[in-house]
Amino acid sequence: SDLDKKTSLETKMADLKKAIETLGEEIKASTEAIAETQESMKTSSEIREGENADFQKTVTDQRFTQMILDKALTRMKEVYALLEQQPGAPHIQTSATHTDPGNGPARFTKYEKNAGGSRIVAMIEKIIAESKKTEDDAIVAEEDAQVAYENVMKQSNAMITATTKKIQDMTGARAQAKEDLLVAKGDFKETMGELLELDRTMGGLVKACKYILDNFDARQ
């Protein structure tokens, strides 16, 4: 009946309005999520760029340090090797007396110089080793950071692609819901017109029946 159709159309229009509202909210939220992800990607790229710049500087500094120290170490080894090979008269140690201190202290002084040189060489070699370790650690950290960055970018791009498709689907669904709502409103308006016409007809019949009943005795 027209009354059942009216009730059905009212329910349908309410459902369509709710769907349009919900879809609109989801489209807005998804659009904002994409914008936030893009902003996060931009920030991550800026951070990665800064990290890479720091890495490049660290490696450059350490390699320059190693180059300088390698040259210094090589030079020092050459100098000590020349000192060791210098010709001279055979060394004859004399004992100290109350008038002659002997040559023991001279030999002791030479030993101290050689020992000091060895310590300096060892120190430089240690600094070079530490510098190489710093470089190696920086390379490992850079590789790990790059892999992590690429994974974040890959996941973010996948999210944006999926959400963009979702927005397109929801936009299409909302457009269809709006079209269906317009049709439902048209059907509802037509149904209400039919009901109004029926109501008028019913009102006329009621009046006619009342007139007949009121005048039945006289007409009879």
Side-chain angles (χ1 to χ4, degrees):
S1 67
D2 286 334
L3 283 174
D4 291 337
K5 185 177 181 181
K6 173 180 175 291
T7 301
S8 176
L9 286 170
E10 286 175 336
T11 301
K12 183 177 182 179
M13 286 190 297
D15 290 343
L16 286 170
K17 287 178 181 178
K18 182 63 178 177
I20 291 169
E21 180 183 355
T22 300
L23 286 168
E25 291 173 352
E26 291 181 356
I27 289 171
K28 181 181 177 182
S30 296
T31 302
E32 290 175 350
I34 288 177
E36 290 174 0
T37 300
Q38 290 174 330
E39 185 62 28
S40 178
M41 291 172 71
K42 179 183 177 182
T43 301
S44 295
S45 295
E46 291 172 350
I47 292 174
R48 180 84 279 273
E49 185 177 350
E51 290 175 341
N52 182 259
D54 290 341
F55 162 74
Q56 297 290 347
K57 185 177 185 304
T58 297
V59 170
T60 299
D61 289 348
Q62 295 307 316
R63 289 179 178 175
F64 181 74
T65 298
Q66 292 165 35
M67 181 184 70
I68 296 300
L69 291 176
D70 280 336
K71 289 182 177 180
L73 184 61
T74 300
R75 182 58 182 162
M76 286 189 69
K77 288 181 177 180
E78 290 174 352
V79 170
Y80 283 115
L82 288 173
L83 288 176
E84 291 288 336
Q85 297 172 5
Q86 278 185 350
H91 179 73
I92 302 174
Q93 181 176 343
T94 60
S95 300
T97 66
H98 70 283
T99 59
D100 184 3
N103 60 7
R107 189 180 69 167
F108 180 76
T109 301
K110 182 179 180 182
Y111 171 79
E112 284 296 321
K113 289 182 178 178
N114 290 339
S118 297
R119 285 197 298 270
I120 293 174
V121 168
M123 182 183 67
I124 293 177
E125 289 176 338
K126 181 180 179 182
I127 295 173
I128 292 174
E130 290 175 349
S131 177
K132 288 181 177 178
K133 185 177 185 306
T134 299
E135 179 187 345
D136 292 340
D137 290 346
I139 292 172
V140 171
E142 169 67 12
E143 290 175 348
D144 290 344
Q146 183 63 26
V147 170
Y149 168 75
E150 290 175 358
N151 286 336
V152 168
M153 292 297 105
K154 186 182 297 182
Q155 293 171 3
S156 297
N157 283 322
M159 176 271 181
I160 290 174
T161 299
T163 305
T164 300
K165 177 64 168 58
K166 180 182 176 183
I167 290 174
Q168 291 174 346
D169 293 342
M170 290 190 297
T171 300
R174 185 176 62 170
Q176 184 61 52
K178 286 182 177 180
E179 184 177 337
D180 292 344
L181 180 59
L182 287 174
V183 173
K185 284 181 177 179
D187 291 344
F188 182 77
K189 183 178 181 180
E190 183 179 344
T191 300
M192 290 301 293
E194 292 175 356
L195 286 173
L196 181 61
E197 183 63 30
L198 286 173
D199 184 65
R200 288 173 180 170
T201 301
M202 184 63 70
L205 289 173
V206 169
K207 288 180 180 179
C209 289
K210 186 175 184 302
Y211 177 80
I212 292 173
L213 290 174
D214 289 344
N215 298 280
F216 180 75
D217 292 336
R219 288 172 62 86
Q220 192 178 35

